[in-house]
Amino acid sequence: MARKIGILTGGGDCPGLNAVIRGVVKSSIIRRGWEVVGIRDGFDGLLYNNRIVPLGLNEVRGILPRGGTILGTSNRGNPFSYPVEVDGKTVLTDVSDEVVANIKKQGIDALVAVGGDGSLKIALELMNKGIPVVGVPKTIDNDLMETDVTFGYNTALETATDALDKLHSTAESHHRVMIMEVMGRYAGWIALESGISGGADVILIPEIPYDISAVCRAVDERRRRGSSFSIIVVAEGAFPHGGNRVVQKRADETNTIERLGGIGQYVARQLGDCLDMDVRVMVLGHLQRGGSPSTFDRCLGSRFGVAAVDLIEQEQYGRMVCLRGRDIKSVSIERAVRKLKLVNPGGQMVTAAEELGIVVGRR
């Protein structure tokens, strides 16, 4: 049975990470008398002893309402494909043996990996090399299978919906088409739910390649009905029918994750060709990742942290905690990361949007 637990937060940050850290620390120390250490900057920290720090009750006091993560994070520190300088060139190298050796040297009996699908895949690989691991699902994108929702998503939705509320007044005052680009990568959950909640007129998501003529018709019809403005929410991974995603930086030898962004401006240019209205774009960006976590995310993060320690006590390694209905369950990490959880184009959420008169860009 574990006596010393390590915890790291990998991938993009989001509200609620500190609630998980706090849950792991308090549950381990108060209920079990175990020791907890934090690994700074995601999997990067496992390569360096000075990035492994003790976490006691004093270290987690007052962090529940704080956004971000007190441990720091990174989405580029994959130890199985780590950038190393060799003869002036960056080469991706497998340094996982060093990570495994360092974990054992530190006397860490089990590792709690908090992250999205990328971080959990790395955790699974470490598990296959003999490191006892449990996973905690984290992403504002809500695209992890086997959990009804990930923490961080609810707060991101609140931020996006609040922004839409504010955009309505300025759009109406100036008779403009306002486009708000939101995060979500290849999943349209943030765009769809915030768009419905914020009263958007058009919502474009990756799961439904859009027809720009359908968007133009929707704006024109609103204008004919007397609405002098329109609000469009577009997910960063959305793309036109027959076209490609807009990316800021493509994946290459040293960066396996492509950086999405720019679809808002692309849609604005397309609308400029078919409308005689002023079109403005707002990229909500990293505001969605920041701020104090919502009540829901604080509670879910805390519950996930406690459940992760329970799994370690039961020696159920290789599993990820998850939310099913109102109950915390667990599932194998391998099953959880087998594919992304995407919006069903014919599902109830999309159908509800269309029945509200929202155009989703179908041909």
Side-chain angles (χ1 to χ4, degrees):
M1 186 181 297
R3 288 292 181 268
K4 184 176 182 180
I5 296 178
I7 179 171
L8 63 81
T9 53
D13 67 311
C14 75
L17 281 165
N18 287 324
V20 178
I21 296 169
R22 177 178 178 271
V24 167
V25 170
K26 297 197 74 171
S27 180
S28 296
I29 294 175
I30 295 175
R31 295 296 300 272
R32 295 166 177 87
W34 293 353
E35 181 183 357
V36 184
V37 294
I39 294 100
R40 295 192 181 279
D41 304 326
F43 290 97
D44 264 358
L46 290 172
L47 285 170
Y48 308 95
N49 290 327
N50 63 355
R51 293 196 194 178
I52 299 177
V53 297
L55 286 178
L57 297 180
N58 285 336
E59 282 73 26
V60 299
R61 183 172 290 118
I63 69 171
L64 192 58
R66 288 174 57 181
T69 164
I70 62 170
L71 292 176
T73 186
S74 171
N75 55 11
R76 299 183 181 181
N78 183 352
F80 295 90
S81 185
Y82 198 80
V84 176
E85 289 291 329
V86 178
D87 297 328
K89 294 183 178 180
T90 301
V91 179
L92 295 180
T93 306
D94 185 346
V95 296
S96 60
D97 286 342
E98 295 177 45
V99 166
V100 170
N102 205 27
I103 290 173
K104 292 179 179 179
K105 180 181 179 182
Q106 290 289 325
I108 296 174
D109 300 304
L111 182 67
V112 178
V114 189
D117 66 307
S119 297
L120 292 178
K121 286 176 181 177
I122 296 171
L124 184 61
E125 290 189 75
L126 286 176
M127 176 75 187
N128 292 335
K129 291 182 77 79
I131 299 300
V133 174
V134 299
V136 176
K138 172 258 3 156
T139 170
I140 67 168
D141 305 331
N142 197 37
D143 60 358
L144 264 174
M145 290 292 291
E146 304 301 329
T147 184
D148 289 352
V149 69
T150 53
F151 73 87
Y153 174 61
N154 182 266
T155 308
L157 275 183
E158 294 291 337
T159 298
T161 302
D162 180 64
L164 283 173
D165 289 345
K166 292 178 169 64
L167 281 181
H168 267 81
S169 59
T170 183
E172 185 172 14
S173 298
H174 288 274
H175 316 302
R176 286 172 173 154
V177 176
M178 298 294 296
I179 300 174
M180 186 174 81
E181 179 182 322
V182 299
M183 288 181 169
R185 294 195 60 75
Y186 308 114
W189 296 108
I190 293 177
L192 185 57
E193 286 207 54
S194 68
I196 292 173
S197 303
D201 307 299
V202 177
I203 302 173
L204 306 180
I205 60 176
E207 295 85 348
I208 305 175
Y210 69 86
D211 182 350
I212 194 62
S213 62
V215 179
C216 288
R217 284 196 303 271
V219 175
D220 265 338
E221 287 173 10
R222 277 181 52 79
R223 187 163 48 177
R224 284 197 296 271
R225 293 197 305 265
S227 296
S228 62
F229 73 100
S230 289
I231 303 291
I232 299 174
V233 180
V234 56
E236 64 180 352
F239 60 96
H241 187 84
N244 299 311
R245 289 188 174 88
V246 179
V247 298
Q248 293 183 10
K249 185 176 182 180
R250 299 195 179 278
D252 55 31
E253 294 82 5
T254 59
N255 182 24
T256 58
I257 302 174
E258 67 178 2
R259 186 185 303 167
L260 300 174
I263 183 62
Q265 291 291 348
Y266 182 78
V267 171
R269 289 194 296 270
Q270 288 185 299
L271 290 179
D273 294 333
C274 63
L275 293 174
D276 59 352
M277 293 179 68
D278 188 13
V279 182
R280 300 295 177 94
V281 180
M282 186 193 74
V283 180
L284 196 55
H286 287 79
L287 280 176
Q288 294 156 95
R289 295 192 179 279
S292 182
S294 66
T295 300
F296 181 88
D297 283 337
R298 294 185 199 192
C299 185
L300 182 60
S302 298
R303 294 176 70 194
F304 274 171
V306 169
V309 177
D310 286 342
L311 285 179
I312 291 173
E313 185 174 47
Q314 298 164 27
E315 299 185 349
Q316 293 191 32
Y317 301 120
R319 298 187 69 79
M320 180 192 84
V321 298
C322 61
L323 181 68
R324 297 281 178 79
R326 297 185 64 84
D327 296 328
I328 304 296
K329 305 286 187 179
S330 73
V331 65
S332 72
I333 296 176
E334 185 174 15
R335 181 175 175 83
V337 300
R338 73 188 191 282
K339 63 179 181 179
L340 294 177
K341 181 179 70 179
L342 303 177
V343 174
N344 180 357
Q348 290 183 347
M349 189 79 74
V350 174
T351 299
E354 292 181 308
E355 292 201 11
L356 289 166
I358 299 171
V359 170
V360 294
R362 296 190 195 272
R363 297 193 77 183

